[in-house]
């Protein structure tokens, strides 16, 4: 999947949007979705609320040690 700037004047593919497309989403080299700047920002914000990355474990924090029992 690849996102490129639209070179051809086309309408945004989102239902109800009347703006011209600024970005084209390509899948396997074929143009599949045309989006304007406003719709792209709305999709980005919505996905940001749904997809939350896992936090990175800080290297300075004490880590639990494994205890070895003799016996």
């Amino acid at each position: 999947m690849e996102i490129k700037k639209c070179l051809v004047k086309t309408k945004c593919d989102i239902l109800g949007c009347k703006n011209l497309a600024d970005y084209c989403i390509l899948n396997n080299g074929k143009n599949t979705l045309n989006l304007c700047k406003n719709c792209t920002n709305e999709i980005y914000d919505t996905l940001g609320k749904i997809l939350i990355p896992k936090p990175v474990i800080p290297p300075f924090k004490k880590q639990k040690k494994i205890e070895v029992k003799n016996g």
Side-chain angles (χ1 to χ4, degrees):
M1 188 173 286
E2 190 177 356
I3 300 174
K4 288 189 175 182
K5 201 114 169 119
C6 262
L7 301 176
V8 181
K9 288 187 177 182
T10 56
K11 191 176 171 187
C12 181
D13 288 337
I14 302 297
L15 185 65
C17 183
K18 297 179 181 179
N19 296 331
L20 290 176
D22 295 317
Y23 302 103
C24 298
I25 298 177
L26 305 170
N27 191 12
N28 296 331
K30 296 179 183 176
N31 192 3
T32 57
L33 188 62
N34 299 315
L35 298 171
C36 68
K37 223 176 218 181
N38 295 337
C39 293
T40 305
N41 287 333
E42 286 184 33
I43 290 172
Y44 179 78
D45 291 340
T46 306
L47 285 175
K49 292 175 185 175
I50 296 171
L51 304 172
I52 301 171
K54 294 181 180 178
V56 178
I57 300 171
F60 52 84
K61 189 174 180 179
K62 283 188 173 181
Q63 296 181 1
K64 295 179 183 177
K65 294 181 180 179
I66 300 173
E67 295 181 19
V68 178
K69 294 182 181 179
N70 292 333

